[in-house]
Every structure is written in C-alpha cells, then in structure tokens.
Amino acid sequence: MVSGSITSVTILLTVFFLFKEASGLFNSPQIEEGYVLAIHPENPISHLKPEEIMDIYDEYITNWEEVGGENLPIKTFRFSDLGTLFSEEELGANYEYVPAKINEIIQNERGIIAFFPEQYQPEPFTGKIISGERIKPSEFFAGTRWYPTSTPAPIFGLIPLLLGTLLVSLGAIVIALPFGLAVAIYMAEIANQRVRDFLKPVIELLAGIPSVVYGFFGLVVIVPFLQHTLNLAVGETAFAGSIVLGIMALPTIITVSEDAIRTTPRAMKEASLALGATHWQTIYKVILPYSISGITSAAVLGIGRAIGETMAVLMVTGNAAVIPTTLFEPVRTIPATIAAELGEAPAGGAHYEALFLLGAVLFLITLVLSAAVEYISSKRKI
C-alpha cells in the first residue's frame, strides 16, 4: 500500500509539474523577452505574426504591402547595426546617446522595423511598438514551423514534429507487425519445445539492448544501405527511423502476441481439427480471431514503444523540423526534439516551456494509446 501510494503521488506530481511548466508558454511574449520591436509611428501596421517577422528579417518579405501595409520598402534595423551607422563618439562612451539615436533612426526612416534591447528604449519614445502580443495556443498547435532560436521572434509550431513522430511510428508498426505476428504464431503453434526455449530468451534479450546501440546499428548499416540502394540524397530519413523502431518494437509485439495466441482454449483447436480443418486453417480461422484483442494490444503497445523512443530516432532520421511528404525525407520527432534542445534552452524561457509542452503532448498521446490498450484488452472475441 505504501509503495503504491508513493508511486501514484510521484506520477501525479510529475504530470502536474509537466503541465505547469508547459502552460507558461502562453504567457510568454512573441518577441524575445527583454527586447522591443518597433516601427515608424505613421506605419499603419499594428501587429505582425512571428512567421512574418522572421521572413522580414530573413528578407523573404521586402515590402510592407506584403503584410497588409502600404507600398513601401522595408528597412530592417538590429541593435548591432548602430556601430555601422554612428561613431563611438556619437553613441557615447557608456552608450548614453543610444536611445536618442534609436529615436532618430525610427523617425527618419518611414519603412523601418527596429529590434533593440528594452533597456535602450528612449523616453519619450516616438515610434510604434508592435511587440506586446503573447504567444497564442493556435500558433503552437497549428503552427507549421519550428524555429525556437529565431530572432527577433521565435516560432514554436507543433505540426511538423507531430507529423514526423506519427509518420515514423506508423511506418515502424507497419514493418514490425507482420514479422512480429509471424514469429509469435511460429513460436506458439509450430515450433517444437527446443526451438521455443532457444528463441524466447533471444527475443527477450533484444528488448534489453540499449536504444543507442540500435541507433549506432541504424547509422552504420541501415542509413548507408538505404542511401545507396534507393539513390537518396541522404540516408537519414523517416524510413530509416521506421526500420530501426520496427526492430525495437519486435520484442514487445512478439511477446504480447504469443501470450495472446497461447491463451486460445485447447478444446477450440481440437474441435476445429476434429471437423477436418488443417493446422493452418485452424490458426487462421480459430486461433487468430480468438486472440485478436491481444494481437491488437500488441500492435498498440508497439506504437507506444515507437512514439516514445528518443536516441535511436535522433541518430537516424536527419532531425529536419519540416512537414514530411514521404517516408524518404529527413524528419524530426517530438522525443528527439526534447532530447536535442532541452540542454540548450534557458530555464524558464519560452523555448524551455515549449519543450515541456511538447512533453505534455507526448504524454497525452501515450495516455490515449494506454487507454486504447486497456479497452481492447477488455474485449475478447469468443
């Protein structure tokens, strides 16, 4: 009772703090904290999306007309540009004249968009500040870009990471389920005791191999093989991740499926054989329908194993946070993103909170899968 209580409380506290940290993302400003984004006071623009800000500073958008403003070229300004526009004497020995110079730049250039530290904001400020918005849930859950270190506005879009996770996981289960089910049928119904006693510990050993070892195997063997065989530009693709995860999911699928198959009552199998059915017909017509709930549970558990995997996927999928269109493109999954970026994200910042929110999304996915396993396992076709 004590162990169960401590475990339950620990899990609940973990979930609570996960969602607590994640919810802080929507209280974070769209613009990098401690900085100001401003435009000329006569510019009619009142708000810019993070994607538009990034495209402006990357010079994909060069005219205010493209974002709903007037037909006027955009002039970008970063704080680092002060050194090229003014001398050290004009800026002051302690940068005491910088606020006035920023006011001057914004007043003299109608198409300006200026990004500078909040501590140098002039008083009074004659420009128009457009950086007061907070990150919205729709920008995260419906966002199609993931650029957490973009300046001046980081972009946190879930869609490419979610699609990458689902694509790799579903590809893994499509690869692993037929092989796993075939091995389970062989071990439960066809293999003799000696072969079964040999295969069982070998399969269980596969489940104990560290995921980084699978990642090395995929990087050294599977990735070059796919690149040369399929004539791909790079071998680190979603398909490579699916193969590695499929291999990792095999022990779970085989073990659960075999247990389900072996629970088929002996009387049902003997009745089928007594009616003239062959051994294969009995397997196909009697045993598999009876154990279908256990086999489905094995498939769902295999997907759960694939969705939560980190190191192996991080090593073989290419880590490109883009919306995938095929299995033969680099992708990035949610666990790989958390593992790769959490160590570099400033604690308490928007990037840090976005990674916790990714963890919350992953938790909800696995929760749904676990509920599906419980529901499916409670059903038994008799």
Side-chain angles (χ1 to χ4, degrees):
M1 183 183 70
V2 173
S3 299
S5 300
I6 292 174
T7 303
S8 300
V9 170
T10 303
I11 293 172
L12 290 175
L13 287 176
T14 302
V15 173
F16 171 76
F17 284 112
L18 174 66
F19 281 90
K20 180 178 177 293
E21 290 289 340
S23 63
L25 176 65
F26 304 122
N27 292 322
S28 302
Q30 290 179 340
I31 305 303
E32 191 175 340
E33 197 153 3
Y35 287 81
V36 172
L37 192 67
I39 58 177
H40 191 276
E42 296 180 8
N43 193 324
I45 295 293
S46 59
H47 173 69
L48 289 171
K49 298 177 181 178
E51 291 86 354
E52 293 173 335
I53 296 171
M54 186 182 74
D55 288 342
I56 286 173
Y57 274 87
D58 288 345
E59 297 185 358
Y60 292 114
I61 296 177
T62 57
N63 195 295
W64 286 109
E65 193 175 29
E66 298 177 57
V67 290
E70 55 189 341
N71 185 11
L72 187 69
I74 296 175
K75 172 71 173 179
T76 58
F77 169 79
R78 298 178 187 268
F79 188 72
S80 57
D81 296 334
L82 281 173
T84 61
L85 298 174
F86 302 99
S87 65
E88 292 183 8
E89 292 78 11
E90 291 176 304
L91 296 177
N94 298 313
Y95 289 90
E96 62 268 20
Y97 304 132
V98 167
K101 295 302 180 183
I102 291 176
N103 247 348
E104 179 184 328
I105 292 170
I106 294 176
Q107 281 293 324
N108 293 340
E109 185 65 55
R110 186 177 173 84
I112 194 75
I113 179 168
F115 176 63
F116 55 91
E118 192 174 19
Q119 68 185 82
Y120 292 108
Q121 182 178 336
E123 290 293 343
F125 184 50
T126 56
K128 183 196 291 187
I129 297 176
I130 58 171
S131 56
E133 294 284 335
R134 301 286 174 180
I135 296 175
K136 300 175 183 177
S138 60
E139 293 174 351
F140 177 83
F141 291 106
T144 57
R145 294 182 181 182
W146 180 266
Y147 293 98
T149 58
S150 174
T151 302
I155 299 175
F156 307 105
L158 172 66
I159 298 299
L161 306 181
L162 181 61
L163 291 180
T165 302
L166 296 178
L167 183 64
V168 172
S169 301
L170 293 177
I173 208 64
V174 167
I175 293 171
L177 186 58
F179 289 103
L181 184 57
V183 174
I185 293 172
Y186 174 75
M187 290 178 60
E189 295 295 326
I190 300 173
N192 57 44
Q193 188 64 40
R194 184 176 179 181
V195 174
R196 187 182 298 119
D197 291 342
F198 171 76
L199 289 178
K200 189 76 172 177
V202 171
I203 292 170
E204 292 174 352
L205 179 64
L206 288 176
I209 296 176
S211 60
V212 69
V213 175
Y214 284 106
F216 275 122
F217 172 76
L219 194 62
V220 173
V221 177
I222 296 176
V223 167
F225 175 78
L226 291 179
Q227 184 174 3
H228 293 126
T229 304
L230 302 178
N231 196 25
L232 301 174
V234 291
E236 292 90 347
T237 60
F239 188 50
S242 295
I243 294 175
V244 172
L245 288 185
I247 296 172
M248 297 178 67
L250 276 174
T252 301
I253 295 174
I254 293 171
T255 302
V256 177
S257 297
E258 185 200 3
D259 290 342
I261 291 171
R262 292 176 72 87
T263 59
T264 305
R266 184 179 181 86
M268 292 184 66
K269 294 186 282 187
E270 291 178 347
S272 174
L273 295 171
L275 290 173
T278 64
H279 191 187
W280 285 107
Q281 288 173 330
T282 300
I283 292 173
Y284 178 70
K285 295 290 186 180
V286 177
I287 297 174
L288 291 183
Y290 181 85
S291 56
I292 191 65
S293 64
I295 294 171
T296 308
S297 297
V300 177
L301 286 172
I303 294 176
R305 174 81 164 93
I307 285 178
E309 183 49 50
T310 302
M311 285 308 301
V313 179
L314 184 64
M315 297 171 70
V316 300
T317 55
N319 291 312
V322 295
I323 295 179
T325 56
T326 69
L327 272 170
F328 304 105
E329 294 177 355
V331 296
R332 175 179 280 192
T333 64
I334 291 176
T337 302
I338 296 172
E341 299 180 7
L342 189 59
E344 300 176 359
H351 187 190
Y352 183 83
E353 293 165 341
L355 294 176
F356 269 86
L357 190 54
L358 288 179
V361 171
L362 194 64
F363 169 78
L364 292 175
I365 293 174
T366 54
L367 180 64
V368 170
L369 288 175
S370 298
V373 170
E374 291 296 327
Y375 176 78
I376 294 169
S377 298
S378 66
K379 302 288 183 180
R380 181 169 293 278
K381 191 172 182 180
I382 300 178

